[in-house]
Amino acid sequence: YMALKSNDFAMNHPAQADNDLVIFNVNLRRKAEAAESGAQETIQLSPIKVPVYGDLRINASLGINFGSMFSPVESYTVRDSVIRSQKEDSFQPMIASNLHFYRQGPKTLSLGGTLGIGLPISTDTGLQSVSFFLGPSLFFGQSERIVLNLGIMGGKARRLSEGYSAGDSFDEDTVALPLHYPYQLGYFIGLSYN
């Protein structure tokens, strides 16, 4: 009894985590002195799965972002030799690929950040080519996470060039309406699966 009471049966063993888990496979082996007892030579216990927390995690995800420029995107036409503008949609949906960085904890809610890139689903709304995203993220869940992203976005937007603005006189018979697509800042909100 005293020998059992004084032994804490603890053993330190380094283990490598596989994704979010450390899995221990425990086998109990009979001592040679107990061979005469008739007990099994080896008893294999069910695997023990231990979640891993802490440290900085970096994962990728795919999702949809909705973005808008700080200065609204407009379409331009010439009617009665006057440049007219019309505001486009309030937001643009984009397919986005995000790189997330966060510290995983035991709770189902974590705070982190995102760095992403996205392509507009439709290119006829004034946003052209690729958009870039940067901002905080909120992670819901433990191993398979839904991520809420929001922050600043940068992308190309349709604008009048050569000093023209809406309301100016313009003779469209001599030259096409001058447009350019500079990179500008905006904001976004999105959901992705991590």
Side-chain angles (χ1 to χ4, degrees):
Y1 170 77
M2 293 306 285
L4 289 176
K5 187 177 178 184
S6 64
N7 192 340
D8 65 0
F9 295 98
M11 180 179 140
N12 291 330
H13 179 72
Q16 181 68 38
D18 183 23
N19 291 327
D20 297 339
L21 293 173
V22 172
I23 301 172
F24 291 102
N25 293 310
V26 179
N27 295 315
L28 301 176
R29 292 200 175 92
R30 178 183 71 201
K31 289 178 104 180
E33 297 90 38
E36 300 147 5
S37 69
Q40 291 179 348
E41 187 167 329
T42 302
I43 297 173
Q44 184 173 357
L45 301 178
S46 296
I48 301 169
K49 296 179 180 178
V50 180
V52 177
Y53 303 116
D55 291 334
L56 182 67
R57 305 290 308 260
I58 298 176
N59 285 331
S61 72
L62 189 63
I64 186 163
N65 288 352
F66 299 93
S68 183
M69 294 298 176
F70 289 128
S71 176
V73 176
E74 298 177 331
S75 60
Y76 303 98
T77 58
V78 177
R79 189 171 359 139
D80 300 328
S81 297
V82 175
I83 299 173
R84 307 211 185 255
S85 67
Q86 177 178 337
K87 289 189 175 158
E88 292 289 347
D89 295 331
S90 299
F91 62 88
Q92 172 70 41
M94 292 170 257
I95 300 295
S97 177
N98 298 301
L99 188 64
H100 299 287
F101 45 95
Y102 59 98
R103 181 175 297 280
Q104 183 172 344
K107 298 180 181 175
T108 58
L109 188 64
S110 298
L111 185 62
T114 187
L115 179 63
I117 188 169
L119 292 172
I121 292 174
S122 172
T123 59
D124 62 347
T125 58
L127 290 177
Q128 298 293 316
S129 76
V130 176
S131 294
F132 302 95
F133 311 106
L134 177 66
S137 297
L138 200 54
F139 296 81
F140 300 94
Q142 282 288 330
S143 59
E144 296 179 1
R145 298 169 191 88
I146 300 295
V147 186
L148 176 65
N149 304 301
L150 56 105
I152 299 292
M153 91 173 201
K156 289 188 173 190
R158 177 177 43 228
R159 302 290 181 215
L160 284 170
S161 65
E162 297 180 15
Y164 286 104
S165 61
D168 290 352
S169 297
F170 186 79
D171 184 10
E172 66 180 328
D173 293 335
T174 58
V175 66
L177 192 60
L179 298 175
H180 70 130
Y181 297 86
Y183 272 100
Q184 295 190 322
L185 290 178
Y187 55 92
F188 79 96
I189 186 166
L191 279 176
S192 58
Y193 178 74
N194 178 281

